[in-house]
Amino acid sequence: MRFLLLISFSLISFLVKSQEIQGTIYDAFGTPIVDANVYNVSSSAHAHSNEFGSFTLINTAINDTLKVSKLGYKSSNYIVSSISNKLQIVLEEDVFRLSEVVLSPNIDINSSITKIDLTTNPVNSSQEILRKVPGLFIGQHAGGGKAEQLFLRGFDIDHGTDVAITSDGIPVNMPSHAHGQGYADLHFIIPETIDKINFGKGPYYASKGNFATAAYVDFSSKDKLDTSKLSVEVGQFNTLRTAGLFDLLGKNSKSNAYIATEYILTDGPFESPQNFNRFNLFGKFTTIIDNSIKLSLVASHFNSKWDASGQIPMRLVNNGTISRFGAVDDTEGGFTSRSNFSFSIDKKLDENSSIKSNGYISKYDFTLFSNFTFFLEDPINGDQIKQKENRMLYGFNSEYRKNQNYESFNLNWQAGIGAKINSNKDIELSHTLNRNDVLEYRQLGDIEESNLFGYFNADFKFNKFTINPALRLEYFKFNYQDKLNPNYKTLSNNKAKLLPKLNFSYAQSNKVVYFLKTGVGFHSNDTRVVLQQNKDVLPNAYGADLGVILKPTQSLIINSALWTLFSEQEFVYVGDAGIVEPSGKSKRYGVDLGLRYQLNDFLFFDFDSNYSLARSVDEPSGQNFIPLAPKWTSVGGISVRNYKRFSGSIQYRYLGDRPANEDNSIIAEGYFVTDFNLSYDFTKTLQLSLNIQNLFDTEWNETQFLTESRLQNETESVEEIHFTPGTPFFAKLKLTYSF
């Protein structure tokens, strides 16, 4: 009898522990809190709140202790008194504490890292947004209006070829762009509207498709404003920036709406003024209907215009012909605009399933004038080129999510479908004079590129283990009409591809999490490459990451990984010349290390260091360097947040020397630059800020290229480093009024 009682008691205990509990997490205003962490101290079970603040936690019994935490909120402990009743949990806002980050097998540590960085060291301009991704470096080389050049994990990514970027679900990358494949212009984002930056490195994520080889980056705007704001910023080089954020509905637990505007003027540090100006307008409406539907509407528009001094040859600076901020051809520059509209609907079907869908449409115009070789090809008129396009981008994504609990494991799975259509009319590359006269059309045509996709992603959670198999299916349809061909003909091709992923994670404790990620990714080739050159359409990239996340103390997070990435043969369309260049197979290896440490309630330390080795596979040793591939990069600094009304930081960024050619005989010199910012809150509504870029006035080159060029007075061409100078000491003052 005693034995039977013991068995019965054990069975009852197991069944009780297998039970689940449901709840919802709100802030003080009754607004649902997304992505709060719920941790069962007794069973180590964990869950995160969804878009409605709802969560389901398995392996929970009466009298268990739940710890509920979220960055920027005061953590709370709850004793479970009933399994049948849904918990209603309210979190109070609090000072920012790293102790609120709880490690678990499925932790999104990258999102937490960027949230930390955004809070302790806010973004000052749209150009700086991508610098919040550890290891990602940017370079501007044609005035402030052109998309930045990107560097990450041993890639010179050009303007986005190997990083997939979205903003509120809208793709930023543009395939078959007039200037370069995957061109990603983020200047339509107003930095004060950013709420979250989520990123992941490598081709390991089923919901990410084209261009997500080295990484993906997702930007999310705020659903609501804490306060309305007006700011005015003035600085050197005739710089002026005004911004306004206006809350339209006040403190409302169900609906929020706001608009934001930005206007910027600057001449830059160059001898020929940039005459740069940009106007941005952004609006967002969010509402929750019947506690089961979340609807968001986003609309934005920006336009900009600028002049540029371009990339200048080193020989002219060395012999004193021009200064570092001089120009050979100061007629470079351009103008661009983009209008976006998107909607997102998140529908809760029940406590364990939901559907999220979003759709978008964008109108984009782009014109860029450049001159890289001066008088190499045309000794009379010069080599100025114009790149132009008129694009419509539209598409949708829909994802079904399901959470299923079993006795021995928990299963979260997602299945998604979507489509992206790019329609590009009169995409042009032409030889021009003085921006006005077209001397020769080199490329002119219409591009229609359709991308359909579907994916399945599953997370099997066995206590401390998570196994994540996934599969993505891609289908592309390419059409191109060459308008320089006297005979009308639509060139067409299509291609399908399966992309498997398999990831593992193990939480040894709430202080140590190991992970292994593997997967196949890709980026598409330009439509003109696919159809005119009959080259490979969707070359694969194979990657693996092995790493560990550590939290040795409540105030220290360490994130590290060893990684490798192998890229298949690909052919790159060079928009500047209208030609195709083979890049060949390549392999890359590296290590990432990141630290976030909070010394006390107001003092923070951050450090990231990244090493990568990039080599061509098919070339002999010594001739297999990949030009401009970064080797060593590092960023770091100390930030103060809300100490006796003061906030500020001092941050450095370091990019090491890189090979400029295949045999490493010519070096693109690295740099070490320090930035500083300081703000003081005179009252709760009035703040004065000082921002200094390049605090120590370091002489550095922001971008560098090995280029063959010829000046008008030269009889022979010269191949050497051409560069864009980095910003010298640059101070700005900003006054912000909140209301």
Side-chain angles (χ1 to χ4, degrees):
M1 178 64 69
R2 185 177 300 175
F3 178 71
L4 291 176
L5 288 174
L6 181 61
I7 292 177
S8 299
F9 178 78
S10 300
L11 180 59
I12 292 172
S13 298
F14 175 79
L15 291 174
V16 168
K17 274 294 180 185
S18 298
Q19 295 183 83
E20 64 181 34
I21 190 169
Q22 298 173 348
T24 307
I25 306 171
Y26 302 97
D27 65 14
F29 298 100
T31 304
I33 297 177
V34 181
D35 204 32
N37 183 76
V38 184
Y39 178 73
N40 189 325
V41 177
S42 306
S43 68
S44 297
H46 50 83
H48 289 82
S49 58
N50 61 19
E51 294 288 333
F52 304 95
S54 301
F55 67 89
T56 299
L57 188 66
I58 62 172
N59 293 340
T60 300
I62 293 174
N63 295 324
D64 280 0
T65 299
L66 306 183
K67 181 179 180 181
V68 183
S69 59
K70 167 80 173 180
L71 286 170
Y73 293 87
K74 185 181 297 183
S75 63
S76 298
N77 290 332
Y78 288 82
I79 305 297
V80 178
S81 59
S82 172
I83 296 296
S84 59
N85 295 329
K86 293 182 180 180
L87 291 177
Q88 302 291 315
I89 301 172
V90 177
L91 295 183
E92 299 178 20
E93 290 192 24
D94 196 14
V95 295
F96 196 83
R97 291 190 175 94
L98 284 184
S99 58
E100 304 300 342
V101 178
V102 178
L103 300 190
S104 61
N106 64 337
I107 183 174
D108 183 5
I109 191 65
N110 293 334
S111 179
S112 297
I113 286 173
T114 54
K115 189 67 175 178
I116 294 166
D117 295 346
L118 280 171
T119 302
T120 58
N121 190 23
V123 175
N124 292 300
S125 69
S126 60
Q127 283 90 341
E128 297 179 15
I129 292 173
L130 285 170
R131 286 180 181 158
K132 292 302 178 183
V133 177
L136 200 159
F137 272 61
I138 65 171
Q140 178 57 259
H141 58 256
K146 185 180 177 183
E148 284 74 27
Q149 186 179 6
L150 310 179
F151 303 93
L152 177 70
R153 282 199 162 184
F155 280 91
D156 170 10
I157 300 172
D158 196 24
H159 298 285
T161 311
D162 290 282
V163 174
I165 304 175
T166 62
S167 177
D168 287 324
I170 303 172
V172 179
N173 302 80
M174 297 187 185
S176 305
H177 188 271
H179 183 67
Q181 178 70 339
Y183 187 88
D185 185 350
L186 279 165
H187 296 152
F188 64 87
I189 296 179
I190 301 174
E192 287 89 345
T193 66
I194 296 174
D195 178 55
K196 184 169 63 175
I197 304 174
N198 187 26
F199 73 93
K201 296 180 182 179
Y204 313 126
Y205 313 95
S207 61
K208 311 302 174 186
N210 199 8
F211 307 116
T213 51
Y216 79 87
V217 185
D218 290 342
F219 295 93
S220 300
S221 61
K222 297 175 180 177
D223 283 345
K224 63 177 182 177
L225 300 178
D226 295 328
T227 62
S228 297
K229 293 182 179 181
L230 283 173
S231 64
V232 178
E233 192 172 346
V234 294
Q236 294 174 272
F237 316 126
N238 297 321
T239 299
L240 171 69
R241 178 180 184 261
T242 62
L245 289 86
F246 306 97
D247 183 16
L248 301 180
L249 298 180
K251 300 298 182 182
N252 189 312
S253 62
K254 298 296 184 182
S255 300
N256 295 280
Y258 67 93
I259 59 173
T261 63
E262 177 188 49
Y263 186 63
I264 303 175
L265 295 169
T266 186
D267 286 338
F270 303 94
E271 294 175 7
S272 296
Q274 281 191 1
N275 300 310
F276 173 83
N277 67 80
R278 182 171 72 234
F279 171 75
N280 282 49
L281 180 63
F282 177 90
K284 186 173 185 179
F285 170 75
T286 304
T287 187
I288 295 178
I289 304 170
D290 296 331
N291 293 320
S292 63
I293 298 176
K294 181 179 180 181
L295 171 66
S296 294
L297 302 175
V298 171
S300 65
H301 172 78
F302 100 101
N303 60 70
S304 65
K305 184 178 180 180
W306 70 97
D307 298 325
S309 296
Q311 302 152 27
I312 57 176
M314 190 69 73
R315 61 186 182 274
L316 294 186
V317 177
N318 291 339
N319 65 25
T321 302
I322 61 174
S323 74
R324 287 176 47 80
F325 298 96
V328 176
D329 183 355
D330 61 1
T331 65
E332 295 192 26
F335 39 90
T336 186
S337 67
R338 181 167 180 170
S339 299
N340 303 305
F341 176 78
S342 70
F343 71 88
S344 175
I345 300 176
D346 203 319
K347 168 65 175 176
K348 182 168 69 173
L349 303 177
D350 54 44
E351 293 301 327
N352 293 309
S353 61
S354 64
I355 293 179
K356 183 172 185 178
S357 301
N358 78 291
Y360 52 84
I361 183 169
S362 289
K363 174 70 170 67
Y364 172 77
D365 294 293
F366 173 88
T367 302
L368 180 68
F369 297 94
S370 308
N371 188 352
F372 305 108
T373 54
F374 309 127
F375 293 90
L376 177 66
E377 299 177 3
D378 188 336
I380 305 299
N381 299 301
D383 299 345
Q384 185 184 85
I385 60 172
K386 176 173 71 172
Q387 295 163 317
K388 184 178 180 180
E389 66 169 69
N390 173 21
R391 180 186 300 253
M392 291 295 298
L393 165 66
Y394 44 96
F396 78 94
N397 305 275
S398 188
E399 181 181 84
Y400 175 77
R401 306 165 180 170
K402 181 70 174 180
N403 179 44
Q404 295 174 270
N405 298 316
Y406 300 93
E407 289 188 1
S408 56
F409 69 93
N410 170 253
L411 170 62
N412 283 322
W413 60 272
Q414 306 86 38
I417 59 172
K420 289 184 285 188
I421 297 91
N422 282 267
S423 178
N424 203 339
K425 302 298 183 183
D426 293 324
I427 184 167
E428 174 188 339
L429 171 65
S430 57
H431 179 202
T432 57
L433 175 65
N434 249 358
R435 290 198 183 187
N436 295 316
D437 301 326
V438 176
L439 304 178
E440 176 193 8
Y441 285 105
R442 296 177 179 172
Q443 293 276 351
L444 183 67
D446 294 343
I447 291 175
E448 295 282 344
E449 183 173 318
S450 301
N451 175 204
L452 309 179
F453 58 86
Y455 60 89
F456 179 81
N457 182 80
D459 287 307
F460 295 91
K461 301 175 184 178
F462 304 87
N463 194 12
K464 296 183 178 183
F465 282 95
T466 297
I467 302 175
N468 169 220
L471 186 66
R472 185 178 178 94
L473 171 64
E474 293 276 358
Y475 173 80
F476 279 81
K477 175 70 172 179
F478 302 91
N479 291 327
Y480 181 63
Q481 180 192 348
D482 184 358
K483 292 187 175 181
L484 297 183
N485 189 332
N487 299 317
Y488 176 86
K489 183 180 181 181
T490 298
L491 302 176
S492 181
N493 197 356
N494 60 81
K495 180 74 173 181
K497 179 179 286 290
L498 278 174
L499 303 164
K501 329 275 186 179
L502 183 59
N503 306 315
F504 305 88
S505 61
Y506 171 68
Q508 178 177 313
S509 67
N510 59 3
K511 295 183 178 181
V512 182
V513 175
Y514 301 97
F515 60 85
L516 171 64
K517 302 177 182 180
T518 64
V520 182
F522 78 104
H523 73 248
S524 64
N525 271 328
D526 189 287
T527 294
R528 290 158 289 187
V529 174
V530 172
L531 299 178
Q532 292 182 309
Q533 303 291 327
N534 195 28
K535 301 300 184 182
D536 192 8
V537 181
L538 308 174
N540 282 341
Y542 305 88
D545 270 50
L546 177 64
V548 61
I549 305 168
L550 304 173
K551 196 176 183 188
T553 71
Q554 288 296 308
S555 301
L556 174 63
I557 296 176
I558 303 172
N559 187 21
S560 62
L562 299 171
W563 60 268
T564 182
L565 191 68
F566 174 83
S567 298
E568 287 184 341
Q569 174 71 47
E570 58 185 288
F571 294 83
V572 179
Y573 175 79
V574 182
D576 299 335
I579 61 174
V580 176
E581 289 183 352
S583 65
K585 297 178 182 178
S586 64
K587 59 183 178 181
R588 290 169 171 83
Y589 311 94
V591 59
D592 295 339
L593 175 64
L595 306 175
R596 297 298 182 273
Y597 180 59
Q598 184 173 2
L599 286 79
N600 48 46
D601 282 351
F602 54 84
L603 195 58
F604 301 83
F605 170 77
D606 64 276
F607 171 81
D608 289 289
S609 184
N610 310 89
Y611 172 80
S612 58
L613 180 69
R615 294 291 185 268
S616 295
V617 172
D618 299 326
E619 302 299 325
S621 178
Q623 304 291 322
N624 60 345
F625 291 85
I626 298 178
L628 301 182
K631 186 176 181 180
W632 279 106
T633 64
S634 180
V635 297
I638 296 177
S639 304
V640 176
R641 191 71 177 165
N642 297 327
Y643 177 70
K644 296 183 178 180
R645 298 187 179 182
F646 282 98
S647 296
S649 70
I650 184 166
Q651 301 283 137
Y652 79 85
R653 44 198 160 93
Y654 166 75
L655 176 64
D657 292 347
R658 298 163 288 153
N661 59 352
E662 288 78 2
D663 63 5
N664 200 30
S665 60
I666 301 176
I667 299 297
E669 295 182 356
Y671 58 80
F672 187 102
V673 176
T674 305
D675 299 327
F676 172 80
N677 68 78
L678 181 67
S679 66
Y680 179 74
D681 296 327
F682 289 96
T683 65
K684 290 184 178 180
T685 61
L686 193 64
Q687 181 188 75
L688 181 66
S689 304
L690 171 66
N691 177 268
I692 300 176
Q693 298 178 31
N694 196 356
L695 178 64
F696 301 112
D697 200 21
T698 301
E699 187 176 285
W700 62 292
N701 298 335
E702 187 162 12
T703 60
Q704 300 173 73
F705 302 90
L706 182 62
T707 304
E708 182 183 7
S709 66
R710 183 173 64 185
L711 304 177
Q712 197 166 25
N713 61 352
E714 291 179 329
T715 58
E716 299 293 333
S717 63
V718 179
E719 186 179 50
E720 65 173 355
I721 291 290
H722 290 50
F723 70 95
T724 301
T727 304
F729 180 94
F730 178 29
K732 297 180 290 184
L733 279 174
K734 180 180 180 181
L735 185 66
T736 303
Y737 173 66
S738 303
F739 57 96

